[in-house]
Amino acid sequence: MLKTEGKTDTPLRGDYSAMRADYTIEQGWEKYTDEEHALWRQLYERQTALLPRYAAPEYLECLGRLNAADGIPDFRRATEVVHKATGWELVAVPGLIDENAFFTHLSERRFPVTNWLRTPEEMDYLVEPDVFHDFFGHVPLLIHPVFADYMQAYGKGGLRAMKLGTMENLTRLYWYMVEFGLLNTKDGLKAYGAGILSSAGETVYCIESPEPNRIGFDLERVMRTKYRIDDYQETYFVLESYEQLFDATSQDFGPIYERLRGLPDFAATEVLPDDKVYTRGTGRKRAA
Ligand code: HBI
Ligand code: FE
Protein backbone atom coordinates (compact mmCIF):
# COMPACT_ATOMS: atom_id res chain seq x y z
CA MET A 1 0.00 0.00 0.00
CA LEU A 2 2.58 2.58 0.98
CA LYS A 3 5.74 1.02 -0.30
CA THR A 4 6.47 -1.98 -2.41
CA GLU A 5 9.27 -4.46 -2.02
CA GLY A 6 12.26 -3.47 -4.08
CA LYS A 7 11.08 0.08 -4.71
CA THR A 8 12.08 1.81 -1.50
CA ASP A 9 15.12 2.86 0.43
CA THR A 10 13.75 1.75 3.81
CA PRO A 11 13.91 -2.01 4.14
CA LEU A 12 10.63 -3.86 4.64
CA ARG A 13 10.55 -5.81 7.87
CA GLY A 14 8.90 -9.09 6.88
CA ASP A 15 10.92 -12.19 6.03
CA TYR A 16 10.91 -12.34 2.24
CA SER A 17 13.45 -15.18 2.05
CA ALA A 18 10.99 -18.07 2.08
CA MET A 19 8.62 -16.53 -0.44
CA ARG A 20 7.16 -18.60 -3.28
CA ALA A 21 6.99 -17.31 -6.86
CA ASP A 22 3.54 -15.83 -6.16
CA TYR A 23 4.93 -13.98 -3.11
CA THR A 24 3.04 -16.16 -0.61
CA ILE A 25 4.54 -17.87 2.43
CA GLU A 26 3.30 -20.16 5.18
CA GLN A 27 1.51 -18.16 7.84
CA GLY A 28 3.33 -20.13 10.56
CA TRP A 29 0.37 -19.80 12.93
CA GLU A 30 1.92 -22.19 15.46
CA LYS A 31 4.90 -19.85 15.86
CA TYR A 32 3.07 -16.83 17.27
CA THR A 33 3.99 -16.25 20.92
CA ASP A 34 1.58 -15.83 23.82
CA GLU A 35 2.63 -12.17 23.96
CA GLU A 36 1.67 -11.70 20.32
CA HIS A 37 -1.74 -13.30 20.84
CA ALA A 38 -2.22 -11.10 23.91
CA LEU A 39 -1.34 -7.97 21.94
CA TRP A 40 -3.80 -9.00 19.23
CA ARG A 41 -6.53 -9.36 21.87
CA GLN A 42 -5.68 -5.93 23.22
CA LEU A 43 -5.91 -4.38 19.74
CA TYR A 44 -9.09 -6.31 19.02
CA GLU A 45 -10.78 -5.28 22.26
CA ARG A 46 -9.82 -1.65 21.89
CA GLN A 47 -11.30 -1.52 18.39
CA THR A 48 -14.45 -3.49 19.13
CA ALA A 49 -15.21 -1.15 22.04
CA LEU A 50 -15.29 1.76 19.55
CA LEU A 51 -16.88 0.06 16.58
CA PRO A 52 -20.58 -0.16 17.48
CA ARG A 53 -20.63 3.60 17.46
CA TYR A 54 -18.32 4.29 14.51
CA ALA A 55 -18.24 1.35 12.10
CA ALA A 56 -20.63 0.51 9.27
CA PRO A 57 -23.10 -2.20 10.37
CA GLU A 58 -22.20 -4.54 7.47
CA TYR A 59 -18.57 -4.48 8.52
CA LEU A 60 -19.48 -5.32 12.12
CA GLU A 61 -21.69 -8.18 11.09
CA CYS A 62 -18.94 -9.66 8.91
CA LEU A 63 -16.29 -9.18 11.60
CA GLY A 64 -18.38 -11.15 14.05
CA ARG A 65 -18.57 -14.08 11.67
CA LEU A 66 -14.77 -14.38 11.68
CA ASN A 67 -14.56 -15.24 15.40
CA ALA A 68 -11.19 -13.54 15.68
CA ALA A 69 -11.37 -12.16 19.22
CA ASP A 70 -9.22 -14.76 20.96
CA GLY A 71 -5.88 -14.31 19.24
CA ILE A 72 -4.19 -13.94 15.89
CA PRO A 73 -6.42 -15.95 13.56
CA ASP A 74 -5.30 -19.03 11.69
CA PHE A 75 -5.79 -18.03 8.03
CA ARG A 76 -6.76 -21.60 7.11
CA ARG A 77 -9.73 -21.52 9.48
CA ALA A 78 -10.75 -17.98 8.50
CA THR A 79 -10.60 -18.97 4.83
CA GLU A 80 -13.31 -21.57 5.47
CA VAL A 81 -15.69 -18.81 6.60
CA VAL A 82 -14.79 -16.36 3.84
CA HIS A 83 -14.73 -18.95 1.09
CA LYS A 84 -18.16 -20.24 2.00
CA ALA A 85 -19.55 -16.69 1.88
CA THR A 86 -17.97 -15.26 -1.28
CA GLY A 87 -15.36 -17.66 -2.67
CA TRP A 88 -12.38 -15.60 -1.44
CA GLU A 89 -9.29 -17.22 0.06
CA LEU A 90 -6.69 -15.74 2.39
CA VAL A 91 -3.01 -16.24 1.61
CA ALA A 92 -0.11 -15.29 3.86
CA VAL A 93 2.53 -12.82 2.63
CA PRO A 94 5.60 -11.33 4.34
CA GLY A 95 4.24 -7.78 4.02
CA LEU A 96 3.94 -5.42 1.07
CA ILE A 97 4.50 -7.30 -2.14
CA ASP A 98 5.10 -6.51 -5.77
CA GLU A 99 2.17 -4.67 -7.33
CA ASN A 100 1.71 -7.15 -10.14
CA ALA A 101 1.58 -10.06 -7.67
CA PHE A 102 -0.82 -8.14 -5.42
CA PHE A 103 -3.26 -7.38 -8.23
CA THR A 104 -3.01 -10.93 -9.59
CA HIS A 105 -4.07 -12.32 -6.22
CA LEU A 106 -7.03 -9.95 -5.96
CA SER A 107 -8.12 -10.65 -9.52
CA GLU A 108 -8.29 -14.36 -8.62
CA ARG A 109 -10.12 -13.75 -5.31
CA ARG A 110 -7.13 -14.33 -3.05
CA PHE A 111 -6.42 -11.71 -0.42
CA PRO A 112 -2.78 -11.36 0.70
CA VAL A 113 -2.59 -11.00 4.49
CA THR A 114 0.68 -10.01 6.18
CA ASN A 115 1.70 -12.65 8.73
CA TRP A 116 3.58 -10.57 11.33
CA LEU A 117 2.15 -8.45 14.13
CA ARG A 118 3.34 -5.00 15.22
CA THR A 119 5.20 -4.57 18.53
CA PRO A 120 3.54 -3.22 21.70
CA GLU A 121 5.27 0.14 21.08
CA GLU A 122 3.34 0.34 17.78
CA MET A 123 -0.17 -0.03 19.21
CA ASP A 124 -1.14 3.35 17.77
CA TYR A 125 0.88 3.78 14.65
CA LEU A 126 2.94 1.82 12.18
CA VAL A 127 4.11 2.49 8.67
CA GLU A 128 3.66 -0.87 6.94
CA PRO A 129 0.51 -2.96 7.11
CA ASP A 130 0.70 -5.85 9.62
CA VAL A 131 -1.63 -8.78 10.30
CA PHE A 132 -3.92 -6.61 12.41
CA HIS A 133 -4.39 -4.04 9.66
CA ASP A 134 -4.76 -6.63 6.91
CA PHE A 135 -7.00 -9.06 8.76
CA PHE A 136 -9.06 -6.84 11.02
CA GLY A 137 -9.27 -4.03 8.47
CA HIS A 138 -9.69 -5.81 5.15
CA VAL A 139 -10.92 -9.36 5.65
CA PRO A 140 -14.41 -8.72 7.12
CA LEU A 141 -15.74 -6.99 4.00
CA LEU A 142 -14.49 -9.84 1.81
CA ILE A 143 -17.49 -11.68 3.29
CA HIS A 144 -19.83 -9.00 1.91
CA PRO A 145 -20.97 -10.09 -1.59
CA VAL A 146 -20.88 -6.66 -3.25
CA PHE A 147 -17.63 -5.54 -1.68
CA ALA A 148 -16.06 -8.91 -2.43
CA ASP A 149 -16.83 -8.44 -6.13
CA TYR A 150 -15.50 -4.90 -6.02
CA MET A 151 -12.15 -6.07 -4.65
CA GLN A 152 -11.77 -8.60 -7.44
CA ALA A 153 -12.67 -5.95 -10.02
CA TYR A 154 -10.07 -3.68 -8.46
CA GLY A 155 -7.44 -6.40 -8.94
CA LYS A 156 -8.36 -6.80 -12.60
CA GLY A 157 -8.36 -3.03 -13.01
CA GLY A 158 -4.94 -2.84 -11.41
CA LEU A 159 -3.44 -5.33 -13.85
CA ARG A 160 -4.90 -3.33 -16.72
CA ALA A 161 -3.72 0.02 -15.33
CA MET A 162 -0.20 -1.38 -14.99
CA LYS A 163 -0.21 -2.23 -18.70
CA LEU A 164 -1.51 1.24 -19.54
CA GLY A 165 1.05 2.86 -17.26
CA THR A 166 -1.62 4.78 -15.31
CA MET A 167 -1.55 3.58 -11.74
CA GLU A 168 -2.03 6.83 -9.89
CA ASN A 169 -5.77 7.41 -10.43
CA LEU A 170 -6.57 3.84 -9.42
CA THR A 171 -4.31 3.97 -6.38
CA ARG A 172 -6.23 7.00 -5.13
CA LEU A 173 -9.50 5.14 -5.58
CA TYR A 174 -8.14 2.31 -3.44
CA TRP A 175 -6.80 4.71 -0.87
CA TYR A 176 -9.96 6.76 -0.43
CA MET A 177 -12.54 4.02 -0.83
CA VAL A 178 -10.92 0.79 0.42
CA GLU A 179 -8.62 2.22 3.09
CA PHE A 180 -10.46 5.37 4.22
CA GLY A 181 -14.06 5.14 3.00
CA LEU A 182 -17.14 6.28 4.92
CA LEU A 183 -20.71 5.11 4.41
CA ASN A 184 -23.86 7.21 4.84
CA THR A 185 -26.37 5.26 6.96
CA LYS A 186 -29.70 6.02 8.61
CA ASP A 187 -27.72 6.54 11.81
CA GLY A 188 -25.30 9.00 10.24
CA LEU A 189 -21.83 8.57 8.76
CA LYS A 190 -20.00 5.34 9.61
CA ALA A 191 -16.54 4.08 8.73
CA TYR A 192 -15.80 0.98 6.67
CA GLY A 193 -12.26 1.64 5.34
CA ALA A 194 -9.52 -0.70 6.54
CA GLY A 195 -7.03 2.07 7.33
CA ILE A 196 -9.60 3.68 9.59
CA LEU A 197 -10.94 0.58 11.31
CA SER A 198 -7.49 -0.75 12.21
CA SER A 199 -6.60 2.58 13.89
CA ALA A 200 -8.19 3.63 17.18
CA GLY A 201 -7.32 7.28 16.68
CA GLU A 202 -8.65 7.58 13.15
CA THR A 203 -11.82 5.58 13.96
CA VAL A 204 -12.91 8.39 16.25
CA TYR A 205 -11.34 11.22 14.24
CA CYS A 206 -12.99 10.40 10.91
CA ILE A 207 -16.47 10.64 12.41
CA GLU A 208 -16.13 13.12 15.27
CA SER A 209 -13.51 15.65 14.27
CA PRO A 210 -14.53 19.02 12.83
CA GLU A 211 -11.22 19.19 10.94
CA PRO A 212 -11.60 16.99 7.82
CA ASN A 213 -13.92 17.45 4.84
CA ARG A 214 -16.50 14.73 4.24
CA ILE A 215 -17.57 14.70 0.62
CA GLY A 216 -19.92 12.51 -1.41
CA PHE A 217 -18.27 9.88 -3.61
CA ASP A 218 -17.73 10.78 -7.24
CA LEU A 219 -15.44 8.49 -9.22
CA GLU A 220 -13.42 11.05 -11.15
CA ARG A 221 -13.31 13.46 -8.23
CA VAL A 222 -11.73 10.77 -6.07
CA MET A 223 -9.32 9.69 -8.79
CA ARG A 224 -8.02 13.26 -9.09
CA THR A 225 -7.50 13.85 -5.38
CA LYS A 226 -4.05 13.58 -3.82
CA TYR A 227 -3.75 11.99 -0.39
CA ARG A 228 -1.42 11.94 2.55
CA ILE A 229 0.08 8.83 4.03
CA ASP A 230 1.69 10.33 7.13
CA ASP A 231 -1.30 11.59 9.09
CA TYR A 232 -5.08 11.36 9.39
CA GLN A 233 -6.88 12.12 6.13
CA GLU A 234 -7.88 15.69 5.34
CA THR A 235 -10.82 14.56 3.24
CA TYR A 236 -12.99 11.44 3.51
CA PHE A 237 -15.29 10.36 0.70
CA VAL A 238 -18.74 9.04 1.54
CA LEU A 239 -20.62 6.21 -0.21
CA GLU A 240 -24.39 5.88 -0.15
CA SER A 241 -23.99 2.11 -0.55
CA TYR A 242 -21.37 -0.41 -1.64
CA GLU A 243 -23.39 -0.86 -4.83
CA GLN A 244 -22.66 2.77 -5.66
CA LEU A 245 -18.95 2.01 -5.67
CA PHE A 246 -19.35 -1.23 -7.58
CA ASP A 247 -21.62 0.37 -10.21
CA ALA A 248 -19.35 3.37 -10.72
CA THR A 249 -16.38 1.11 -11.23
CA SER A 250 -17.95 -1.44 -13.58
CA GLN A 251 -17.37 0.84 -16.59
CA ASP A 252 -14.26 0.88 -18.78
CA PHE A 253 -11.60 3.05 -17.11
CA GLY A 254 -9.58 3.48 -20.32
CA PRO A 255 -11.45 6.62 -21.52
CA ILE A 256 -11.47 8.01 -17.98
CA TYR A 257 -7.69 7.73 -17.67
CA GLU A 258 -7.38 9.47 -21.05
CA ARG A 259 -9.58 12.34 -19.93
CA LEU A 260 -7.92 12.69 -16.53
CA ARG A 261 -4.47 12.81 -18.06
CA GLY A 262 -5.14 16.38 -19.22
CA LEU A 263 -6.78 17.60 -16.01
CA PRO A 264 -5.20 18.98 -12.85
CA ASP A 265 -5.14 17.09 -9.55
CA PHE A 266 -6.92 18.35 -6.45
CA ALA A 267 -5.20 18.94 -3.14
CA ALA A 268 -6.29 16.72 -0.26
CA THR A 269 -7.77 19.76 1.47
CA GLU A 270 -9.73 21.16 -1.46
CA VAL A 271 -13.55 21.52 -1.58
CA LEU A 272 -15.03 22.09 -5.05
CA PRO A 273 -18.22 23.92 -6.09
CA ASP A 274 -19.80 20.69 -7.37
CA ASP A 275 -18.97 18.60 -4.32
CA LYS A 276 -21.77 17.09 -2.31
CA VAL A 277 -20.50 18.35 1.03
CA TYR A 278 -21.51 16.44 4.15
CA THR A 279 -19.19 18.49 6.33
CA ARG A 280 -16.73 21.18 5.39
CA GLY A 281 -13.69 20.80 7.58
CA THR A 282 -12.04 23.48 9.66
CA GLY A 283 -8.64 22.14 8.56
CA ARG A 284 -5.86 20.51 10.53
CA LYS A 285 -4.88 22.32 13.69
CA ARG A 286 -1.65 20.51 14.44
CA ALA A 287 1.40 20.59 12.25
CA ALA A 288 2.24 17.48 10.23
N1 HBI B 1 1.00 -5.69 -0.91
N2 HBI B 1 0.59 -7.05 0.90
C1 HBI B 1 0.27 -5.97 0.18
N3 HBI B 1 -0.78 -5.21 0.56
C2 HBI B 1 -1.14 -4.10 -0.16
O1 HBI B 1 -2.11 -3.42 0.20
C3 HBI B 1 -0.38 -3.77 -1.31
C4 HBI B 1 0.69 -4.60 -1.66
N4 HBI B 1 1.43 -4.32 -2.76
C5 HBI B 1 1.11 -3.20 -3.62
C6 HBI B 1 0.01 -2.36 -3.14
N5 HBI B 1 -0.68 -2.67 -2.08
C7 HBI B 1 -0.32 -1.07 -3.82
O2 HBI B 1 0.67 -0.70 -4.69
C8 HBI B 1 -1.69 -1.03 -4.49
O3 HBI B 1 -2.69 -0.97 -3.54
C9 HBI B 1 -1.86 0.14 -5.37
FE1 FE C 1 -4.62 -1.86 3.66
Side-chain angles (χ1 to χ4, degrees), residues 169-180:
N169 299 130
L170 195 69
T171 303
R172 290 173 182 161
L173 185 66
Y174 191 85
W175 188 264
Y176 279 117
M177 304 325 295
V178 177
E179 298 290 354
F180 294 98

Side-chain angles (χ1 to χ4, degrees), residues 1 133-134 138 174 179 194:
M1 180 169 64
H133 168 81
D134 280 344
H138 287 286
Y174 191 85
E179 298 290 354

